[in-house]
Amino acid sequence: MARFTDEELMRKVQEGFIVESEADMTETYKKALVNQLIVQGDTELMSAPAYYMATKDAPSTNTMVSATAIIQDELGHANIAYRLLADLGQDPDALLYDRPPNRFKNPFGFDQPIANWGELVTAHGLYDRAGITLLSDVHRHTSYGPLKRALAKVGMEENFHLRHGEVWMRRLTESGGEARELVQRGVDWMFPMGVEWFGMPDDRKHHNAQLDFKLKGMTNDQLRATWLKAVVSLCEQLGLDVPAHTNPETGEVELEYELPCEWDADERVWLLHTPISWDQVWERWKARGPMNEEFVDSIRRSRAFTEKLLAA
Ligand SMILES: [Fe+2]
Ligand SMILES: [Fe+2]
């Protein structure tokens, strides 16, 4: 028998109550928290093979070490989320090894190949910024104590990833020529990917358990606007083209295309002026991107290899 009803718990967390264990939860709270942690863990986990793919293109040994350190951090972040899920009765082994690849809940951006060093540092500048935007909101607002404490470490490391990305984006754009072009081409496909990262717009969501139970503080549109402000300002400073601009009067970023729009998976380009519905976006997300199976397999391969080695 739960100590509280959903309504009581919603009221209590809005007044500052911190949930410390399952004894304080309702079923609805627990379900929303588990779902949030699976998205968080899967996103951290799948960023590792995505980043690893391009780390092999690092321009020097020390840059490869920095890029690999970021991957190690991401695996640590995934471990934190799965460890918290274990405390809630979930089986991390089953989550990692028994789910079909298309059931992982990472965003569509981490189902895509990251092809070279220019794209990798752009991913750190744009996607790690998305991670910071989402997780710093959770860190500030979450009513779940164990997650709030764990995110202190995650936030500091994410800042290192972001700085690494921004410093390298600047270095490559300032050197001009092909190096600048690599970053611009990365921004061309990763910027709209980042805009979509924050999910459906608020007017499509009538009820949101994560907000009701204070598992996060900001809505999808507020989070998207926060990310846009930071990323568009960075691109403007670096002289990179993005289909958005800062309105000088309001200080808000305005997109120069209608959301959502078509993604040409074969050419890896956005058809910014071919509008589609959010139902079509949902279908595209569900169908997954080209690297989904390979990235999941790359995480699993090492276990099979180690088991074989130990059995020999
Ligand atoms: Fe991370
Ligand atoms: Fe990161």
Side-chain angles (χ1 to χ4, degrees), residues 44 47 73-74 77 128 135 154 158 161:
E44 301 281 13
S47 70
D73 288 346
E74 303 298 16
H77 300 170
D128 285 279
L135 291 181
V154 175
E158 288 301 345
H161 309 171

Side-chain angles (χ1 to χ4, degrees), residues 147-186:
L147 177 57
K148 197 179 190 70
R149 293 187 289 276
L151 286 176
K153 166 189 156 71
V154 175
M156 283 187 271
E157 290 173 350
E158 288 301 345
N159 264 306
F160 157 59
H161 309 171
L162 176 65
R163 295 305 156 219
H164 175 78
E166 290 185 345
V167 163
W168 267 98
M169 283 175 78
R170 181 176 297 278
R171 205 170 276 167
L172 294 178
T173 47
E174 284 177 354
S175 66
E178 176 61 15
R180 187 192 173 284
E181 270 310 297
L182 281 179
V183 178
Q184 180 62 63
R185 285 201 298 273

